[in-house]
């Protein structure tokens, strides 16, 4: 039988690590697993659950411009599965985030949003749609 693998974490660079960590905990009910010093004098916050997380890296110059990439280079989006898609969309709206590109096709419903640094999140639910 082949060995089973799973994704443990994704590491993203942001301009304000605390802001991004607060957004992720508010949207998904995750917790800060760890925070501390990281490469080149920057800081990292691990936000997620026991077995997976997003590493939020903030370079040492907190408000220095971050080089922008064209959509899809190097990352299209980060997908997050949730139980209640509508509740997460309401939380996103309360945080001032704009949901777009709603879809309802097999195997689930989804929408997308950009965080303040332009990182795209796909929020998906495989639960039956409410009637």
């Amino acid at each position: 039988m082949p060995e089973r693998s799973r994704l443990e974490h994704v590491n993203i660079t942001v301009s304000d690590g605390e802001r991004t960590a607060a957004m992720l905990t508010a949207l998904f009910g995750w917790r800060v697993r760890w925070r501390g010093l990281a490469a080149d004098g920057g800081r990292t916050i691990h936000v997620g659950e026991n077995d997976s997380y997003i590493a939020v890296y903030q370079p040492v110059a907190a408000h220095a411009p971050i080089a922008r990439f064209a959509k899809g280079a190097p990352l299209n989006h980060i997908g997050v599965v949730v139980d209640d898609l509508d509740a997460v969309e309401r939380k996103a709206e309360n945080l001032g985030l704009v949901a777009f590109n709603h879809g309802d096709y097999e195997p689930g419903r989804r929408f997308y949003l950009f965080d303040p640094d332009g990182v795209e999140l796909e929020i998906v639910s495989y639960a039956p749609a409410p009637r």
Side-chain angles (χ1 to χ4, degrees), residues 52-120:
S52 64
Y53 61 96
I54 295 178
V56 177
Y57 173 72
Q58 179 180 326
V60 69
H63 300 290
I66 294 175
R68 300 288 186 216
F69 292 95
K71 171 92 172 85
L75 174 74
N76 283 321
H77 59 258
I78 299 170
V80 178
V81 178
V82 299
D83 292 329
D84 189 336
L85 191 67
D86 298 326
V88 173
E89 185 169 2
R90 285 190 299 275
K91 291 176 186 179
E93 290 170 356
N94 289 339
L95 293 170
L97 303 170
V98 178
F100 64 93
N101 200 19
H102 294 77
D104 186 356
Y105 51 88
E106 291 298 325
R109 296 185 320 134
R110 68 204 70 243
F111 67 85
Y112 297 79
L113 57 83
F114 286 105
D115 85 347
D117 287 303
V119 175
E120 186 177 33

